[in-house]
Amino acid sequence: MLGCIVALMILGVTGIARGDELAGGVKFHERQLVWITLGLPVLAISSFFNYRRLADVALILYGCNVLLLLAVYFFPPVNGSQRWIPLGPISFQPSESAKILFILVLASHLRHQENYRTLLGLFPPFMMALVPLALILKEPDLGTSLLFLSVLYA
């Protein structure tokens, strides 16, 4: 798996560098190398973490992310939409982490349910999808919000 990851990184940087060369003077591949340098330690640390323990804190993480989705409305809009939380030189978009956390909390919930194939059993997962969907739709970000319905359907 590590070999596949390294191969994808090399192919990605090579493709971006070629695009930079064709664009003439742009240096996006250097930015990609910085992100790779920052991401490799995160990969190493996360590979030692037991992912099954995330199910225990899934609901807490989901709730915190809903609060972050509410927090974006207290920051100034960027290009007419309120999607980002500025953190100094970078910005954080809570809707991106909401997609992953929704899958995590949904899997954690459905793991212990036996009535998820009934109409009454679908109500809690539907509400779990509706809350971030509505908040993200108000940002406005239609593409991201529609992902919640497709994940719920799957």
Side-chain angles (χ1 to χ4, degrees):
M1 188 151 151
L2 185 59
C4 291
I5 292 169
V6 170
L8 281 173
M9 287 188 302
I10 291 170
L11 285 172
V13 170
T14 305
I16 293 171
R18 178 65 179 146
D20 290 348
E21 184 181 314
L22 293 174
V26 188
K27 303 278 185 184
F28 287 123
H29 70 282
E30 292 175 359
R31 185 183 301 174
Q32 186 70 19
L33 288 171
V34 169
W35 284 112
I36 287 173
T37 305
L38 293 173
L40 283 175
V42 174
L43 172 69
I45 291 168
S46 65
S47 66
F48 294 109
F49 183 72
N50 184 0
Y51 67 90
R52 293 170 198 222
R53 295 177 61 193
L54 285 175
D56 300 334
V57 294
L59 194 58
I60 295 168
L61 293 173
Y62 173 80
C64 291
N65 196 261
V66 168
L67 292 175
L68 287 174
L69 286 171
L70 286 169
V72 297
Y73 299 111
F74 294 103
F75 294 99
V78 176
N79 295 329
S81 63
Q82 293 179 294
R83 298 179 190 167
W84 296 275
I85 296 175
L87 300 171
I90 62 170
S91 295
F92 173 67
Q93 190 174 4
S95 60
E96 293 300 319
S97 59
K99 294 184 280 190
I100 296 169
L101 290 174
F102 172 65
I103 293 170
L104 184 66
V105 77
L106 187 62
S108 176
H109 173 75
L110 292 177
R111 179 175 65 166
H112 300 294
Q113 299 299 315
E114 293 183 15
N115 66 341
Y116 65 90
R117 292 183 184 244
T118 65
L119 190 59
L120 188 61
L122 284 176
F123 185 73
F126 182 74
M127 291 309 293
M128 284 182 216
L130 191 62
V131 171
L133 184 143
L135 291 171
I136 293 170
L137 195 58
K138 188 170 174 3
E139 289 179 357
D141 190 358
L142 180 64
T144 301
S145 63
L146 290 178
L147 284 172
F148 287 89
L149 292 178
S150 61
V151 168
L152 180 64
Y153 178 75

